[in-house]
Amino acid sequence: MLDIEKELKDKLLKFNDTLKKRYKNGSGFNVTLLNLLEQHVGRLTKLSRLAPQQVAAIAPKGIVAVDGSINTAGSSYPHYVAVMRSMAQSTFACHEPIYKYEIYSPLFEDKDVDINAEVDGVPAAVQDENRRSAHMACLEIEAAIEAIERMAPSVLMMDGSLAQFRIKCRDTWEKLYRLVLERDVLLIGVVEEIKTAIIKQALKDYLPDDMKDMYDRELIFGILSPGQMLAIDEDCLGQGKLGLAACFMRTSMDPHPIAMDMPAEQSDHMEDMAALVYALTPQDGRGIPLWLDMVDNQVRITNQMMEALIDEYIDADLRHRLLVAKRQNRDI
């Protein structure tokens, strides 16, 4: 056991050294990088901290936040069931929250599929993961559409990039897209975990060799000051963001940036929406607007809740036959 622990320790230390080498030039390059961002990626702006009355002026009909949650019971593909829930909640207490639910299981979705088969090189289990993610995205968009029709907010704030909603659930997304433009509802997607590579593409001729493989999250970690926004030039966004406007910003003392996107037709409101997100975010938080965080907490399907639902509504013999993993019956 001690030998195994030593081997693991050595591998972790080696990984740590690799990370240190990867980021060794970061702090010394910060000022240069900030200048490069403004010259080749977008426009840097210092956001004002909005007062409550200014927030009310920007969103006189309230703000709706939309988020979703998914949890699964069972073993490996295809013997599992997923419970999904989306939620839309307005800052105006006169509106009741909207909930949407869906049950998903590949036992029904994929009854004619060979679970060991690949389609275009993609294993069936990965295809199933993509379908499940698409169902979740559609459920969130459906909650957003109903919220516009019932609550008529000034601003609709979604958890995650609008580009991903469009990719995963195009038809329902198009309905939402048309609706926000028709009803003059400002739509924004707030992205906590940035996974894009916009900056390294735009600055490939300017970055040091050891920074050319870094993603946006790594490159602008700690670069922006609290309240600073980088509005990304349209020609830097690429096909994935076609029809959308986007920015990076730092909204708290946390050095990690967040991202925001919105329909290109509404891009004149980008700075107002970024200032709104900044105003709604606790300075000592992780950078996400408090209202979106509250909806995230309320919509979450916990493991305890999932277990109680399965125990209550799925017959014991069916649970054991389809949803109980063999490892749960181990004696040691």
Side-chain angles (χ1 to χ4, degrees):
M1 183 65 181
L2 290 176
D3 289 340
I4 295 174
E5 289 178 352
K6 182 181 183 304
E7 181 182 355
L8 178 59
K9 174 184 173 182
D10 289 344
K11 288 181 181 295
L12 286 170
L13 288 172
K14 183 178 179 180
F15 178 64
N16 184 67
D17 288 340
T18 302
L19 291 176
K20 285 168 67 175
K21 290 175 184 175
R22 180 179 177 91
Y23 300 121
K24 64 180 170 52
N25 286 331
S27 58
F29 193 66
N30 282 4
V31 175
T32 302
L33 180 55
L34 205 58
N35 290 331
L36 287 171
L37 290 174
E38 191 154 34
Q39 292 169 22
H40 302 284
V41 180
R43 179 173 55 86
L44 286 168
T45 303
K46 183 67 175 178
L47 300 169
S48 57
R49 192 78 180 172
L50 300 180
Q53 60 269 28
Q54 291 173 300
V55 171
I58 289 176
K61 295 185 288 183
I63 302 163
V64 166
V66 178
D67 201 356
S69 179
I70 181 171
N71 205 333
T72 61
S75 54
S76 57
Y77 173 84
H79 297 110
Y80 75 86
V81 60
V83 175
M84 305 176 187
R85 176 166 68 173
S86 64
M87 178 183 180
Q89 174 116 38
S90 172
T91 52
F92 283 9
C94 59
H95 296 300
E96 291 292 324
I98 294 167
Y99 290 98
K100 298 285 186 181
Y101 297 90
E102 186 169 344
I103 304 297
Y104 173 89
S105 174
L107 291 171
F108 302 103
E109 295 278 336
D110 298 349
K111 53 180 179 249
D112 297 323
V113 173
D114 179 355
I115 66 171
N116 296 310
E118 294 187 357
V119 176
D120 297 328
V122 180
V126 176
Q127 297 171 52
D128 170 66
E129 184 177 341
N130 292 338
R131 278 192 297 273
R132 189 171 69 239
S133 180
H135 277 275
M136 186 70 254
C138 287
L139 202 65
E140 290 180 61
I141 296 174
E142 288 168 9
I145 290 171
E146 186 171 333
I148 293 174
E149 293 172 337
R150 280 179 42 188
M151 303 174 182
S154 297
V155 178
L156 184 68
M157 184 182 297
M158 301 193 71
D159 180 44
S161 169
L162 300 184
Q164 287 300 307
F165 285 109
R166 180 174 63 187
I167 291 168
K168 294 175 181 179
C169 193
R170 180 168 290 276
D171 290 345
T172 315
W173 157 260
E174 290 295 339
K175 182 178 179 182
L176 173 63
Y177 190 80
R178 291 192 301 269
L179 193 60
V180 296
L181 296 181
E182 290 170 4
R183 304 284 181 90
D184 290 325
V185 177
L186 294 172
L187 174 64
I188 60 173
V190 178
V191 186
E192 181 176 7
E193 299 293 343
I194 298 173
K195 300 176 183 177
T196 51
I198 294 168
I199 295 172
K200 73 174 184 179
Q201 293 295 329
L203 300 183
K204 59 186 176 183
D205 296 330
Y206 305 98
L207 292 174
D209 288 342
D210 56 357
M211 297 179 74
K212 287 185 175 179
D213 291 329
M214 292 186 187
Y215 291 88
D216 294 335
R217 172 187 168 130
E218 302 166 77
L219 284 168
I220 53 175
F221 176 87
I223 293 290
L224 301 177
S225 59
Q228 195 170 29
M229 174 187 78
L230 176 68
I232 305 166
D233 291 340
E234 183 181 355
D235 57 1
C236 290
L237 289 174
Q239 287 296 312
K241 292 279 191 182
L242 192 65
L244 298 172
C247 69
F248 297 123
M249 57 182 159
R250 182 174 170 185
T251 53
S252 72
M253 297 308 295
D254 188 324
H256 280 110
I258 67 167
M260 184 184 80
D261 55 7
M262 64 190 305
E265 293 91 336
Q266 299 179 339
S267 61
D268 288 349
H269 300 278
M270 172 75 77
E271 191 169 330
D272 278 348
M273 291 299 96
L276 180 67
V277 169
Y278 183 40
L280 297 176
T281 302
Q283 287 300 282
D284 58 352
R286 68 183 200 279
I288 298 301
L290 184 60
W291 192 245
L292 195 57
D293 234 5
M294 291 172 62
V295 172
D296 171 79
N297 184 63
Q298 291 179 48
V299 77
R300 191 172 302 144
I301 302 171
T302 64
N303 290 339
Q304 184 178 9
M305 185 188 306
M306 187 70 182
E307 185 177 342
L309 288 168
I310 296 300
D311 286 349
E312 178 72 20
Y313 298 109
I314 305 298
D315 291 349
D317 60 329
L318 294 174
R319 290 201 306 271
H320 190 77
R321 181 173 186 170
L322 300 172
L323 302 178
V324 176
K326 289 285 285 181
R327 61 180 175 270
Q328 291 180 230
N329 295 324
R330 289 175 181 168
D331 294 327
I332 57 172

